[in-house]
Amino acid sequence: MSHASTPPASDCDVLVIGAGAGGLSAAITARKLGLDVIVVEKEPVFGGTAAFSGGVLWIPGNPHARQAGITDSREAARTYMRHETGDFHDAEAVETFLDAGPEMVEFFERETEVKFVPTLYPDYHPDAPGGVDIGRSILAAPYDIRGLGKDMARLRPPLSTITFIGMMFNSSNADIKHFFNATKSLHSALYVVKRLANHFKELLLYRRGVQVTSGNALAARLAKSALDLGIPIHTDTPAKELVIENGRIRGAVVDGAGGRTRITSRRAVVLASGGFSHDVERLAKAYPHVRRGGEHFSPVPSGNTGDGARLAESAGGRVDIRFPDAAAWMPVSKVPQGGGRFGAFPHLLDRYKPGIIGVLRNGRRFTNESNSYHDVGAAMVAACEGQAETAMWLICNHATLSKYGLGHAKPAPMPVAPAVRNGYLVKGRTLAELAQRAGIDPAGLEQTVREYDRHAAKGEDPAHGRGRTTFNRYLADPAQQPNPCVAPVGDGPYYALKLVMGDLGTFDGIRTNVAGQVLGASGEAIPGLYAVGNDRASVMGGNYPGAGITLGPIMTFGWLSARHIAGVWQPRAEAAPAQREAERQPA
């Protein structure tokens, strides 16, 4: 096991720059194939964006769906991806992903500590051609991080704003359902008491929760697998420049505990630094709301500053801004944390609940609030075109907030007054008073709520079709009938919560071929240089078709890149150019 204080070795077969899901999946695979691997990570912790995520992988045809007898087909998945990727459909990459995804899952579950469980997630657009209501998304199994031993301290903690006193929840597990129901069910109340008692015991003994779920469990399982294989993970060790000899990448210069060191790689350097979500200069070019002067507040790790992109460009690689949406949009609220600091709260659950609506500054609704975070974010960017600020406000009354919570403000019996005092929530006795205090047009808001409530009383939303799809209803309230997503806003007092734009990771990125080799200006592969994870341009073409469409391809293509480096796999393009050309033709 390697700690931040240990200087890195000077040579290896494969040098991986970044210790997130993409980098670790590539490192583990390469080591399993007999290659000598070193991982360097600039931050003091490992886990990358995956450690903050839901830990879901979108893998059509995955073994868990097959074992459950869920009916799906390769043709349906192909049709769905063609529909979702649109003008940016890459048949070769899609076919490779559909081929390799299930094999990747089987490999990691058979050979490593990485384990998954099935979920009930529908595709985000289940009514689109090829979409399904269940089966393509799997979730990292919970993990006891004491298995990491002394390296437990180097695991990136979960995103603090979405934990409760450090306790992790997942939208598809039992915890959150029991916590919402604790005041109404003795069974749920007893469950919550037991869960809290165990968590406080963990805090006392280890100063953090050790029973982790979601992406924190995935990051921990990947790190445990790498460390068990003897792969050193050098944290606090940023890569500064690539070593290029005779046109081939031969390693990198890194800053470690012992100063600046050159690490030579005999086969490849793999860029896995997490994308450019905090690269201010690149964001100004890539994100339309930033170009027009709006705010961007990303919940992803602050270390994702585009290091991989800059290293690739220094070697002649290309980083194009070409997708219609350059990132996986995530509307977030800013949680006051004292001293002028704010934390980002990603709105993953509340928008789906009945009685909560989203409006613009003019007081008008602009989209189906129960669509995916990315779809709501894209609609928000489009609706605010021509305005300096890209923002929306969630609106509800006191009864709804007490039942479901609103953003970081928890449901009853947790008090709401502190969130009003610190400015996180705005409160008003009437809609007009609320609008005035929040900076929303009062007449627009009053008219919107009046029109919405008239239809919502019957469970209808003719304006935006809320509750129309299985995904809309998945995170809503099944007890609310006839439409689990729709209920009137109702009588005051009222609350408003301002949301700005964030992201869950970049879609645009380094241009690669299917194997992950970084491509130069003329389209040729740069010898010895690969990109994985969010450093690599997404196979989804700037769209978000389902839960886990980031981590699914990240782990799949990380696995494939390592196999290509080891010489045990080659893309269809290398094996059968004629077949590739046939697949590029329209369906």
Side-chain angles (χ1 to χ4, degrees), residues 17 63 101 109 161 167 224 245 276 383 394 396 431 436 446 462 499:
I17 299 175
E109 292 199 310
T161 54
M167 185 186 301
K224 169 66 172 172
E245 295 178 355
F276 57 85
L394 294 181
C396 72
L431 288 170
Q436 185 176 25
E446 288 179 323
L499 275 59

Side-chain angles (χ1 to χ4, degrees), residues 376-568:
V376 171
M380 183 172 151
V381 171
C384 294
E385 186 175 0
Q387 302 176 31
E389 183 178 50
T390 297
M392 65 179 286
W393 284 259
L394 294 181
I395 307 292
C396 72
N397 71 1
H398 186 80
T400 298
L401 188 149
S402 295
K403 189 173 185 179
Y404 304 116
L406 189 65
H408 192 256
K410 304 298 186 288
M414 299 301 293
V416 68
V420 176
R421 284 197 300 268
N422 69 16
Y424 180 68
L425 293 179
V426 176
K427 182 179 180 180
R429 293 168 298 170
T430 66
L431 288 170
E433 182 178 78
L434 179 77
Q436 185 176 25
R437 291 178 175 177
I440 303 169
D441 177 64
L445 182 60
E446 288 179 323
Q447 183 180 356
T448 293
V449 172
R450 185 166 56 250
E451 292 174 352
Y452 177 79
D453 279 6
R454 180 163 55 88
H455 296 287
K458 298 178 288 186
E460 299 172 354
D461 179 23
H464 296 287
R466 194 167 170 187
R468 176 175 50 83
T469 71
T470 52
F471 175 71
N472 276 186
R473 299 188 293 272
Y474 179 64
L475 295 173
D477 182 356
Q480 177 67 35
Q481 293 298 325
N483 188 334
C485 299
V486 174
V489 174
D491 299 327
Y494 301 99
Y495 297 88
L497 174 59
K498 185 178 182 179
L499 275 59
V500 297
M501 189 56 64
D503 70 78
L504 295 180
T506 46
F507 283 152
D508 277 313
I510 301 168
R511 282 282 192 108
T512 69
N513 59 20
V514 172
Q517 292 175 290
V518 175
L519 302 179
S522 60
E524 79 288 356
I526 298 174
L529 187 61
Y530 289 73
V532 300
N534 281 339
D535 274 355
R536 169 180 173 160
S538 170
V539 69
M540 298 297 169
N543 202 358
Y544 213 114
I549 60 87
T550 301
L551 282 172
I554 277 177
M555 287 195 60
T556 300
F557 286 109
W559 179 69
L560 287 173
S561 289
R563 289 166 58 81
H564 191 263
I565 292 167
V568 300

